[in-house]
Amino acid sequence: MKCLFSTVTAGILLAGAAVADGHRSPAPADARAYIISPTEGSTVSNPVTIIFGLEGMGVAPAGTEMDNTGHHHLLINTDPSSLDLDSGLPATDQIVHFGGGQTQITQKLPAGTHTLQLLLGDWSHVPHNPPVMSEVITVTVN
């Protein structure tokens, strides 16, 4: 019995790792992420409030495995083509996770020009297939 329990536990752990690495949840073709505020070309002051929008899908906290849902990741000065979209997104200063299902953030950004883009991740932080991304916007921080 102890051996069976160990085998089943190991199988569950390996299956979970396999799903989180290389699995891409499907997204509806019409799904769209977008940045509500600030707008393209805005000059803003710190702290900056960034408000997220999503159409055609729902927002759910990380770890919630439901069809057509995900949570936001904010890419700051990051080109999504530099990311491995088949794996969970790393959490960095330039890839900010909103695993609680948040739809906005107020944070300080360094003075200067920055690009901002949203990328939706599924329950395990892996981008959907096709990826649900906003357009890139450029803002200048005073």
Side-chain angles (χ1 to χ4, degrees):
M1 181 70 145
K2 189 174 186 179
C3 182
L4 175 62
F5 178 75
S6 296
T7 302
V8 169
T9 302
I12 291 169
L13 291 173
L14 289 173
V19 168
D21 188 24
H23 170 74
R24 306 247 334 251
S25 298
D30 63 345
R32 179 176 85 93
Y34 55 98
I35 297 174
I36 297 169
S37 179
T39 58
E40 165 64 26
S42 294
T43 298
V44 296
S45 299
N46 276 311
V48 179
T49 297
I50 305 163
I51 303 173
F52 317 146
L54 181 64
E55 290 180 1
M57 293 183 74
V59 175
T64 303
E65 189 173 2
M66 290 177 44
D67 289 344
N68 300 324
T69 66
H71 62 279
H72 293 287
H73 297 83
L74 178 63
L75 308 180
I76 303 171
N77 302 323
T78 300
D79 182 348
S81 69
S82 68
L83 303 173
D84 178 2
L85 299 183
D86 289 325
S87 297
L89 296 168
T92 68
D93 289 342
Q94 286 75 41
I95 304 171
V96 184
H97 288 236
F98 297 91
Q102 304 94 315
T103 57
Q104 72 177 47
I105 184 174
T106 300
Q107 82 172 46
K108 188 171 181 174
L109 292 173
T113 302
H114 301 282
T115 61
L116 305 174
Q117 185 173 24
L118 293 173
L119 175 57
L120 203 68
D122 69 8
W123 63 276
S124 63
H125 304 282
V126 176
H128 293 80
N129 186 19
V132 179
M133 288 188 268
S134 71
E135 296 292 325
V136 175
I137 68 163
T138 302
V139 298
T140 302
V141 179
N142 288 342

